[in-house]
Amino acid sequence: CSVNSRLKSRVCTYATIKHMKNSKIKTTKDTENITNISTAIRNAVDYLIANPKDFPGLAASGKLYDDAIIANTTLQNLNGGANVSIGNLSITKVDIRCLYLDTAYQTHSRRHADAKLVNDWDLRKVGTITLSYRNNKLYVIDGGHRISAALKHELFWLPAVIYTDLTQAEEAEIFAYQNRNVASLKPIDKYTSLLVAGDTITTNIERITEQYGFVVTNKKKNVPRAISSFGALYTIMTDNTTIGYDGCACLEWILQTMLDSLWCEHPDFACDTWMKGFMQVYKEGLTNHQLANYKDNLVAILSHITPSYLSSFASTDNPSAEKRGKASAAILKIARGLVTLKEIFDIVEKNNIN
């Protein structure tokens, strides 16, 4: 594409991305947004994390560095004696007051410390930050939030992995795919780990599920009343969007409803979708003071159908919604008493015939 005018430049930029993504040009605004992103990348500047604007208290007490000290400290970080050196990669401790973000591939939001990270700060859980030495500066590839949190606590040294042979493009690639080679933690592994750690929420989940005759496990075969959706259980226990809501009371209500309706005797009775659907019923019933009535309506219907049958009804009754939305809508409809067992049978059978 030739770039002879501002308009042609925008069209050219978008056409290139269109070709790459095999998509269509939707609006002029889309084209302008992409052009703005491209401009921002070209005009990106290095952002010093430990700066007077973001940390005025440190600046006022003379604990931040000027350019000359930053340059000198950067060299000390590199040459101060790494604990481990493998090729062009070093593992050592660094003074975090001389670290930069490359805003060509990282947004300014990376400089802000997450409030929970600051409040629950524990140096033992920080791990190592990842840096790259390029153009006589140390750039942060991973760890911007942790660096800001450490500065909030006036801690100036952190363990780091330092690359010394990366280009800007290679840094950006590592940043973009930093979790590619990290295996995700399975929910059951998180559950058992938190039990060992004595996490209050997780121990309450274990206490309540055992009290009602359920077991949290990923081995559902030949294990009666097995619940493998730890993520849903954790959401139920920690939701704070409804006035008067109590996670323990909600989980107890859900499990008792499943027992009374024999819902828990079916395979896949406690998948993530159903558990969160029951939670939505509890929250609405709590708000409307209809918990007992909602439970009676659910027991009357669920005692005669299976999870697969309810799933079929949910898909037929609300075809445009996403899977979780369909499930919640179906369970809520039953709880509100807006559909009879015969109507559910008729809807599902009609859909099967069609």
Side-chain angles (χ1 to χ4, degrees):
C1 298
S2 61
V3 184
N4 298 322
S5 67
R6 189 176 182 182
L7 177 60
K8 286 183 179 179
S9 176
R10 289 178 178 175
V11 173
C12 175
T13 301
Y14 196 81
T16 302
I17 295 176
K18 172 197 171 188
H19 175 71
M20 292 172 61
K21 294 188 174 181
N22 194 26
S23 61
K24 296 179 180 179
I25 296 177
K26 294 182 178 180
T27 64
T28 302
K29 187 175 181 180
D30 290 333
T31 308
E32 291 176 346
N33 285 341
I34 291 172
T35 302
N36 290 339
I37 292 171
S38 299
T39 302
I41 291 174
R42 288 195 301 270
N43 297 335
V45 296
D46 297 336
Y47 194 94
L48 179 66
I49 296 178
N51 66 80
K53 181 179 178 181
D54 291 334
F55 299 94
L58 294 180
S61 59
K63 295 179 180 178
L64 297 185
Y65 294 155
D66 59 25
D67 291 344
I69 297 178
I70 289 173
N72 184 54
T73 305
T74 297
L75 293 177
Q76 290 178 359
N77 283 334
L78 288 171
N79 303 320
N83 294 326
V84 178
S85 181
I86 306 173
N88 291 323
L89 184 148
S90 301
I91 302 176
T92 186
K93 66 176 184 178
V94 297
D95 189 327
I96 60 176
R97 287 170 288 185
C98 61
L99 306 182
Y100 291 85
L101 290 177
D102 185 337
T103 59
Y105 63 88
Q106 294 200 46
T107 63
H108 283 185
S109 64
R110 305 289 297 184
R111 75 185 190 272
H112 294 302
D114 178 82
K116 189 176 188 316
L117 184 59
V118 175
N119 295 334
D120 299 336
W121 178 260
D122 187 339
L123 186 59
R124 297 169 301 173
K125 301 176 183 179
V126 171
T128 57
I129 59 176
T130 305
L131 311 176
S132 174
Y133 179 67
R134 172 173 55 84
N135 297 336
N136 299 318
K137 293 180 179 179
L138 282 170
Y139 293 95
V140 177
I141 298 176
D142 181 39
H145 296 305
R146 286 172 285 162
I147 291 167
S148 294
L151 290 169
K152 292 280 187 182
H153 288 277
E154 297 195 14
L155 299 174
F156 304 127
W157 295 85
L158 287 179
V161 173
I162 305 176
Y163 291 95
T164 58
D165 62 345
L166 298 180
T167 64
Q168 183 190 45
E170 289 169 332
E171 287 176 18
E173 183 178 16
I174 292 174
F175 173 75
Y177 296 115
Q178 55 190 285
N179 294 321
R180 172 183 280 180
N181 297 318
V182 179
S184 59
L185 188 65
K186 293 181 179 180
I188 192 62
D189 291 331
K190 182 175 181 180
Y191 175 74
T192 53
S193 297
L194 289 174
L195 276 180
V196 173
D199 175 70
T200 302
I201 294 171
T202 310
T203 53
N204 278 334
I205 290 174
E206 182 186 48
R207 173 182 59 80
I208 294 170
T209 52
E210 287 186 351
Q211 177 185 338
Y212 283 82
F214 294 79
V215 58
V216 180
T217 178
N218 62 336
K219 299 177 181 179
K220 296 186 290 183
K221 188 175 181 180
N222 299 324
V223 180
R225 300 177 186 172
I227 301 176
S228 60
S229 50
F230 174 65
L233 290 171
Y234 208 84
T235 298
I236 290 168
M237 294 294 288
T238 58
D239 187 272
N240 61 358
T241 60
T242 302
I243 296 175
Y245 179 89
D246 176 79
C248 291
C250 178
L251 182 56
E252 290 174 350
W253 182 89
I254 291 173
L255 298 182
Q256 188 61 61
T257 302
M258 289 180 169
L259 286 169
D260 292 348
S261 64
L262 302 180
W263 182 257
C264 56
E265 303 306 319
H266 301 289
D268 299 323
F269 74 93
C271 66
D272 185 89
T273 301
W274 297 134
M275 294 296 288
K276 291 182 179 178
F278 276 97
M279 182 184 75
Q280 294 304 320
V281 171
Y282 179 87
K283 290 166 65 177
E284 182 177 291
L286 179 68
T287 301
N288 298 336
H289 306 287
Q290 292 289 321
L291 277 177
N293 187 42
Y294 277 15
K295 180 185 173 185
D296 290 342
N297 290 338
L298 285 173
V299 171
I301 299 292
L302 297 183
S303 58
H304 296 283
I305 61 176
T306 65
S308 60
Y309 208 92
L310 180 58
S311 180
S312 181
F313 166 69
S315 298
T316 305
D317 192 55
N318 197 2
S320 61
E322 51 89 25
K323 184 177 180 181
R324 187 174 298 168
K326 290 177 183 178
S328 294
I331 297 176
L332 278 168
K333 193 169 186 177
I334 294 172
R336 293 165 182 163
L338 299 178
V339 62
T340 66
L341 184 62
K342 183 179 183 305
E343 288 171 335
I344 292 176
F345 284 149
D346 289 344
I347 290 173
V348 175
E349 291 304 320
K350 182 180 179 181
N351 180 62
N352 289 339
I353 292 173
N354 294 335

